[in-house]
Amino acid sequence: MNEKRILITGASRGIGKAIALYLAQKGYELILHYNQNEEAAQETLREVQNLGAKAGLISFDISDRKKTKKVLEADIASNGVYYGVICNAGIHSDNPFPILEDEQWDNVIHTNLDGLYNVLKPVIMPMVENRIRGRIITISSISGIIGNRGQVNYSAAKAGIIGASKALAIELAKHKITVNCIAPGIIETDMTKDLPIEEIRKLIPMRRLGKPEEIAGLVDYLLSENAAYITRQVISVNGGML
């Protein structure tokens, strides 16, 4: 049994849930974060536990700095330091830039980019102080690399995650903590179910959408001992779109 503790933000559905289910089979102890959808989070928890993993739920809005800090510090104090942190939680609110509302810009930036800071700030020093040779994995997007029409706010936030991850990787390398970023393309989740799929497939050389499990498998590898020398990397999983 692998008793290393892994925090997964946004674990109630989509990519986050796929990561949780995949890692549950590897025996990690999982801390599953959610914000509003408690019913979905409880279902993920049940599925993870049915796979034999030790797991628990925590809830907060990652854009709420004080609440995030309070909950994470309390969990660490009660249950121990994290070995891995998967920063997956995020939102999108799309519109062409000329009609993009101020609130759409603010919400996406505060949640996706500020949320990265809010989650990582309370957990990094405990990892360093306890000499945890840990793993931080951030989830960006192909939009953060090449940009996407109607997603100026989302592309800005996801590009910021890439820059932050690269800089943090340099700072933490001497502590043997790796920081890597995964940039998914179009993945089959609730977030993409209303998109014009047939048109999108034409833009993907592999002519299909990615599966959440294909992201989860990469997360599992980056958490492993074999990935100890991989840091400061942005790994794209997009079927050849770039």
Side-chain angles (χ1 to χ4, degrees), residues 31-235:
I31 301 87
L32 309 175
H33 159 267
Y34 72 98
N35 181 19
Q36 296 179 326
N37 196 337
E38 182 177 0
E39 182 179 354
Q42 291 287 354
E43 176 59 27
T44 300
L45 178 64
R46 284 191 292 270
E47 292 183 39
V48 162
Q49 290 175 332
N50 286 340
L51 291 169
K54 182 179 179 181
L57 295 178
I58 56 175
S59 179
F60 51 84
D61 180 350
I62 63 171
S63 68
D64 184 335
R65 184 166 298 160
K66 290 183 179 179
K67 180 68 178 295
T68 300
K69 183 175 186 288
K70 180 179 179 181
V71 173
L72 290 176
E73 287 183 343
D75 182 58
I76 291 170
S78 297
N79 301 300
V81 181
Y82 305 128
Y83 164 77
V85 181
I86 318 301
C87 294
N88 166 74
I91 64 170
H92 71 100
S93 184
D94 302 344
N95 239 340
F97 190 76
I99 59 172
L100 188 72
E101 299 287 344
D102 291 349
E103 185 178 2
Q104 290 180 291
W105 175 271
D106 291 341
N107 287 345
V108 169
I109 296 297
H110 290 328
T111 301
N112 294 355
L113 190 52
D114 292 354
L116 181 78
Y117 173 85
N118 297 342
V119 169
L120 291 181
K121 191 63 161 62
V123 307
I124 294 295
M125 279 307 297
M127 292 173 75
V128 171
E129 290 170 349
N130 286 271
R131 298 183 179 180
I132 304 295
R133 296 188 175 190
R135 307 283 190 267
I136 294 169
I137 301 169
T138 63
I139 306 296
S140 180
S141 167
I142 191 171
S143 293
I145 299 175
I146 64 174
N148 191 30
R149 186 188 304 273
Q151 290 192 322
V152 173
N153 52 354
Y154 186 74
S155 296
K158 290 299 188 176
I161 288 172
I162 290 173
S165 300
K166 284 179 171 287
L168 185 59
I170 298 172
E171 294 187 11
L172 295 181
K174 65 182 179 182
H175 300 291
K176 307 299 188 292
I177 298 170
T178 68
V179 184
N180 291 292
C181 182
I182 298 175
I186 312 300
I187 308 298
E188 290 180 1
T189 66
D190 290 343
M191 196 179 243
T192 59
K193 66 181 180 180
D194 294 326
L195 296 177
I197 300 302
E198 292 306 316
E199 292 301 314
I200 289 172
R201 281 199 181 101
K202 297 175 184 178
L203 304 175
I204 305 171
M206 294 191 74
R207 293 296 189 266
R208 70 171 177 87
L209 275 62
K211 300 175 182 179
E213 294 77 15
E214 291 170 321
I215 305 299
L218 178 55
V219 169
D220 177 44
Y221 174 69
L222 290 174
L223 289 171
S224 73
E225 289 299 322
N226 288 335
Y229 201 55
I230 301 173
T231 195
R232 204 185 178 196
Q233 302 306 301
V234 180
I235 305 173

